[in-house]
């Protein structure tokens, strides 16, 4: 285990505990208990790490039923068991650092976002070089790029590229003569109109680590217009700061007012108190028309349909700070082999099995939340109506969301947005926290 990787994850954890104090949202006793149980499970694996088995660690939403199905098929064919350890989203980085510390072999394969997030966390320091594996030749170019650092490929991806924007109930919009907004003022007016129709405009689980920050990376296109080199500059040195962006401040000011708007003591524009909902509650809320919009990915339409929704769904760019373009997710989550694993050959065998054409077809046929494939020539994957609409409505090329490109992306952004919602966080504090986090991680990486 290299010092750089573990120190970066420790610094991330410390920063999270520091900044989370700016809001009332903390790790609940229930979440603490889940984290303790996962730690215990990891400790058991350390003691009983039998040869010929694979321990895979992932955040709770990254493993689907089809993954388990393929793992079972792999075991039947090879005799190699795949043991899955799932953690809460909010505690994953901490637990991953703990599980891999000191060159531990307790975890054989772990999952983590590809792109700059992989680099920022120092994943290449602990992951096995997979560049020469036979399945690499069948990867799409974007998948190779997203999982490569320097001249080495570290990640195995079966995710896909998708677009993100504001999902809306097109049937409801047609029935009520609602028009797609082109400006932020029009967006707020639309939300007010939806309220007058007796609906909550947006489903927003503002306690979600990954989802809440969507409101920020939706600004990627306008930040590129403001400065085409803004990501390059941010990645060069901590002396180049988010604080210098006027467009970022404009968008954050709009979000502060929007998320902090109250009616009857509750958020005006999104579900309940915004703290209680989880991701899975969105299906019921949108299907029942309790809410009629959500910022999400275009493949979400197929998930709604699978849950019984009969409405037509579309997607438009979030018109924040003058934005008129969607964003791309850049490829999602990858699997990495711990280079200290005692079962590296078994891990390679699993990845090769998952990359077999028939298994890829099985995987993507089940993953209706994906609209593209990391591997070439997969027939089972299909875009949705929302995929086509967000592409048509976007001006110019759709860029990769900035968190996938910027080094040292602050994982605590969701707590800053909670501060907006509670009125305890200012725009200046929000931006300063982001830049302070980056500066600390730059220093940690240098040392």
């Amino acid at each position: 285990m290299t010092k750089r990787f573990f120190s970066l994850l420790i610094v991330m954890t410390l920063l999270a505990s520091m900044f989370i104090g700016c809001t009332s949202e903390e790790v609940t006793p229930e979440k603490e208990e889940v984290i303790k149980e996962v730690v215990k499970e990891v400790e058991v694996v350390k003691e009983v790490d039998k040869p010929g088995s694979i321990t895979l660690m992932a955040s709770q939403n990254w493993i689907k039923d089809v993954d388990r199905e393929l793992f079972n098929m792999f075991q039947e064919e090879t005799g190699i068991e795949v043991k899955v350890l799932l953690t809460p989203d909010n505690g994953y980085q901490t637990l991953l650092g703990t599980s891999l510390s000191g060159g531990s072999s307790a975890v054989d394969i772990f999952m983590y976002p590809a792109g700059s997030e992989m680099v920022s966390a120092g994943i290449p320091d602990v992951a096995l070089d997979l560049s020469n594996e036979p399945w690499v030749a069948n990867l799409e170019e974007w998948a190779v790029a997203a999982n490569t650092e320097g001249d080495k490929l570290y990640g195995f991806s079966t995710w896909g590229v998708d677009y993100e924007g504001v999902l809306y109930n097109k049937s409801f919009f047609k029935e009520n003569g609602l028009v797609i907004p082109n400006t932020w003022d029009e967006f707020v007016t639309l939300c007010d109109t939806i309220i007058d129709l007796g609906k909550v405009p947006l489903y927003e689980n503002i306690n979600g680590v990954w989802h809440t920050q969507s409101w920020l990376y939706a600004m990627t296109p306008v930040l590129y217009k403001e400065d085409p080199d803004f990501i390059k500059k941010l990645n060069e040195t901590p002396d180049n700061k988010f604080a210098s962006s006027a467009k970022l401040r404009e968008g954050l000011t709009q979000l502060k007012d929007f998320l902090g708007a109250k009616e009857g003591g509750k958020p005006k524009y999104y579900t309940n108190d915004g703290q209680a909902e989880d991701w899975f509650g969105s299906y019921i809320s949108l299907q029942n028309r309790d809410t009629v919009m959500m910022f999400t990915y275009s493949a979400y339409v197929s998930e709604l349909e699978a849950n019984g929704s009969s409405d037509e769904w579309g997607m438009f760019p979030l018109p924040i700070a003058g934005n008129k373009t969607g964003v791309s997710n850049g490829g999602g989550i990858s699997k990495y082999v711990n280079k200290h694993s005692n079962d590296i050959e078994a891990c390679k065998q699993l990845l090769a099995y998952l990359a077999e054409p028939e298994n890829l077809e099985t995987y993507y046929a089940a993953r209706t939340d994906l609209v593209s494939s990391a591997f070439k020539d997969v027939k089972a994957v299909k875009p949705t109506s929302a995929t086509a609409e967000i592409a048509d409505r976007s001006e110019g090329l759709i860029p990769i969301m900035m968190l996938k490109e910027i080094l040292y992306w602050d994982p605590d952004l969701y707590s800053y947005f909670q501060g907006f919602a509670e009125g305890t966080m200012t725009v200046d504090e929000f931006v300063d926290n982001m830049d302070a986090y980056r500066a600390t991680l730059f220093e940690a990486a240098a040392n």
Side-chain angles (χ1 to χ4, degrees), residues 226-244:
E226 181 184 42
D227 181 357
D229 295 322
F230 88 98
I231 289 180
K232 178 182 177 183
K233 291 175 180 176
L234 289 172
N235 287 346
E236 284 176 347
T237 171
D239 295 332
N240 295 327
K241 301 179 183 296
F242 280 107
S244 65

Side-chain angles (χ1 to χ4, degrees), residues 170-317:
K170 186 175 286 191
S171 299
F172 180 84
F173 272 49
K174 288 178 180 178
E175 291 165 11
N176 293 281
L178 301 179
V179 179
I180 302 302
N182 292 310
T183 68
W184 183 258
D185 287 344
E186 289 177 1
F187 178 67
V188 176
T189 299
L190 169 66
C191 290
D192 285 330
T193 303
I194 291 171
I195 292 172
D196 291 340
L197 292 169
K199 303 293 182 182
V200 177
L202 287 147
Y203 187 95
E204 173 52 52
N205 55 316
I206 202 170
N207 60 323
V209 173
W210 73 269
H211 186 255
T212 308
Q213 64 189 350
S214 306
W215 294 98
L216 179 61
Y217 62 63
M219 290 184 241
T220 304
V222 292
L223 295 186
Y224 267 122
K225 282 187 176 181
E226 181 184 42
D227 181 357
D229 295 322
F230 88 98
I231 289 180
K232 178 182 177 183
K233 291 175 180 176
L234 289 172
N235 287 346
E236 284 176 347
T237 171
D239 295 332
N240 295 327
K241 301 179 183 296
F242 280 107
S244 65
S245 172
K247 277 295 181 182
L248 179 65
R249 289 182 180 279
E250 177 186 344
L252 287 176
T253 300
Q254 291 171 339
L255 286 175
K256 181 178 184 299
D257 293 341
F258 185 79
L259 296 177
K262 296 288 192 294
E263 199 166 77
K266 294 183 178 181
K268 181 178 181 181
Y269 296 116
Y270 52 98
T271 38
N272 295 326
D273 62 0
Q275 305 282 346
E277 294 80 23
D278 62 18
W279 175 257
F280 300 105
S282 62
Y283 299 114
I284 297 173
S285 179
L286 289 163
Q287 179 181 325
N288 292 344
R289 291 190 174 187
D290 297 327
T291 51
V292 295
M293 296 188 295
M294 182 172 73
F295 193 102
T296 187
Y297 45 88
S298 75
Y300 189 84
V301 173
S302 60
E303 296 177 53
L304 282 171
E305 291 172 348
N307 277 275
S309 173
S310 58
D311 283 328
E312 185 181 1
W313 297 90
M315 181 170 283
F316 59 85

